[in-house]
Amino acid sequence: MSGITGSMYIGASAMDAHSWGMAVTAHNVANVNTAGFTPQRAVYATGPGGRGVRLEAVLQDAGAAGRRDAATNSEPSMPPVVGTPSGTDLGREMTQMISTQRTYEANAQTVRTGDAMLGVLLDLKA
């Protein structure tokens, strides 16, 4: 797939993949106070035919298991680490959300540009 319609398809499929990634991040933020909740992360892969991007998997985030509650931190030289009941790192989730939003916006611009170019070509043909 090449040309204007190909670029529009690639942009639209990437928007779809990143909207699912945003849903994963939103799910993590929504469960920030849920005890025992393990955050998830979206894993992306190259799209069909080596073009674009697709959501490959949603995995449990292993990084959250290493956090310690302030009550269990007995070392006086270490500042207390206060985690949320779920282990969700809101700073990381917000950073991921901004990154996903910017990627979505870039792909939306690709689709808009392809649409404008196709409109110009159709106007020339008519």
Side-chain angles (χ1 to χ4, degrees):
M1 185 179 311
S2 62
I4 296 171
T5 56
S7 65
M8 291 173 64
Y9 172 78
I10 290 170
S13 67
M15 289 170 60
D16 182 53
H18 288 291
S19 67
W20 281 106
M22 185 66 82
V24 170
T25 302
H27 180 68
N28 291 342
V29 171
N31 286 290
V32 70
N33 289 323
T34 304
F37 175 77
T38 303
Q40 301 171 338
R41 64 183 171 93
V43 178
Y44 301 100
T46 303
R51 296 180 179 204
V53 66
R54 65 180 173 84
L55 181 67
E56 183 175 47
V58 176
L59 303 176
Q60 295 296 320
D61 190 5
R67 296 189 67 116
R68 292 189 293 176
D69 190 30
T72 62
N73 189 356
S74 61
E75 296 181 38
S77 63
M78 297 288 293
V81 177
V82 179
T84 58
S86 67
T88 301
D89 181 1
L90 285 177
R92 186 180 138 217
E93 296 300 330
M94 291 300 118
T95 303
Q96 183 64 36
M97 192 174 283
I98 292 168
S99 174
T100 303
Q101 178 187 4
R102 296 295 183 250
T103 305
Y104 187 92
E105 289 171 354
N107 284 292
Q109 185 60 45
T110 300
V111 172
R112 282 192 295 271
T113 301
D115 180 50
M117 289 173 61
L118 189 58
V120 167
L121 288 174
L122 290 174
D123 287 344
L124 289 174
K125 184 73 175 172

